[in-house]
Amino acid sequence: MYFGGSFTWGDFQFLLYGAATTIAITLVSVLIGTCLGVVFGLIRSGSPWWISNALGAVLDVFRSVPLLIQLVLFNSFNSILKLNWPTFAVGCLCLGIYASAFCTEIVRSGVGAVPLTTRRAARSLGLSWLQELTSITLPIATRVVFPSWIGLTLGVMKDTALVLWIGIVELLRSSQIVTSRVQEPLLILCITGLIYFFMSFPIARLGNQLEKKWGMQ
């Protein structure tokens, strides 16, 4: 089956395979980044200043150094330390830590948005720290940070394009391979862009629907 020129159905399937890899990397990276971000965000918002600032300084490194450099360094250390991790795991770990650096500040701002009087009132009613956190603070903070978290997720999905530099064949790398064979870069880039759009659009729409359901719009 031909779409035009020498671009075939097999080429399109190859792009879809790359898209599946992109989605898998995004899901794992966002999961790692969110879990670490929640833990680090709670530490930064509730710990003494010297712990909060020390952790913030470490995370600032990951926020400041370009992701491409981090990917190359992570992959190099994987070889130097002879860990023999697959490049997929290296890419997910690097992206996850990178995302956690941003998610930490998102969570910290969300917790900070919960009025201190509300938290004190919950504690005065006899709730423990954990009960107050899970029943009062986190539900309120989640509504505050959700739009930013959706934006972070979409950003991570686009950042997965950089993992091609450590040898992972995701969507962008797949498009490069197909382009080198078909020699129709404009067509391939248009198709690749549409695939990225169809992967990102449901996430954005889901975010909008949840915001409306929660009365945030």
Side-chain angles (χ1 to χ4, degrees):
M1 180 176 180
Y2 289 84
F3 290 95
S6 56
F7 184 71
T8 66
W9 173 248
D11 294 325
F12 185 67
Q13 288 180 311
F14 187 66
L15 292 178
L16 292 180
Y17 175 80
T21 303
T22 292
I23 292 174
I25 295 173
T26 301
L27 291 176
V28 176
S29 300
V30 169
L31 178 62
I32 294 173
T34 301
C35 291
L36 291 177
V38 170
V39 173
F40 293 157
L42 292 176
I43 292 175
R44 289 216 63 196
S45 62
S47 60
W49 67 267
W50 54 275
I51 295 179
S52 178
N53 289 349
L55 178 58
V58 173
L59 295 176
D60 280 341
V61 174
F62 290 98
R63 278 199 300 270
S64 303
V65 177
L67 179 57
L68 178 57
I69 295 177
Q70 295 184 43
L71 283 166
V72 173
L73 289 176
F74 267 71
N75 195 47
S76 298
F77 289 144
N78 182 45
S79 301
I80 293 172
L81 299 177
K82 298 181 179 179
L83 298 176
N84 297 320
W85 289 4
T87 52
F88 180 87
V90 174
C92 289
L93 179 62
C94 183
L95 270 169
I97 296 176
Y98 178 76
S100 72
F102 292 93
C103 190
T104 296
E105 295 307 307
I106 292 174
V107 172
R108 187 170 72 96
S109 65
V111 173
V114 180
L116 189 59
T117 53
T118 301
R119 304 186 66 179
R120 287 175 176 171
R123 298 299 295 273
S124 68
L125 292 175
L127 296 181
S128 65
W129 175 85
L130 183 60
Q131 290 174 326
E132 176 266 317
L133 180 67
T134 56
S135 301
I136 305 297
T137 301
L138 287 183
I140 297 175
T142 298
R143 298 190 179 195
V144 174
V145 306
F146 188 74
S148 298
W149 182 83
I150 288 292
L152 177 63
T153 301
L154 294 175
V156 170
M157 178 176 288
K158 289 182 288 185
D159 288 337
T160 57
L162 294 175
V163 301
L164 66 87
W165 290 97
I166 61 174
I168 300 178
V169 182
E170 41 65 69
L171 179 54
L172 185 59
R173 180 56 182 157
S174 299
S175 69
Q176 292 178 340
I177 294 173
V178 173
T179 299
S180 65
R181 190 193 71 81
V182 177
Q183 296 298 316
E184 295 185 28
L186 185 59
L187 172 64
I188 304 304
L189 286 176
C190 287
I191 295 174
T192 302
L194 284 174
I195 294 175
Y196 271 115
F197 171 77
F198 284 116
M199 290 192 301
S200 302
F201 184 72
I203 298 175
R205 292 305 304 165
L206 175 62
N208 290 336
Q209 291 301 316
L210 289 177
E211 287 178 28
K212 292 179 180 178
K213 182 178 179 180
W214 290 344
M216 297 168 62
Q217 287 185 346

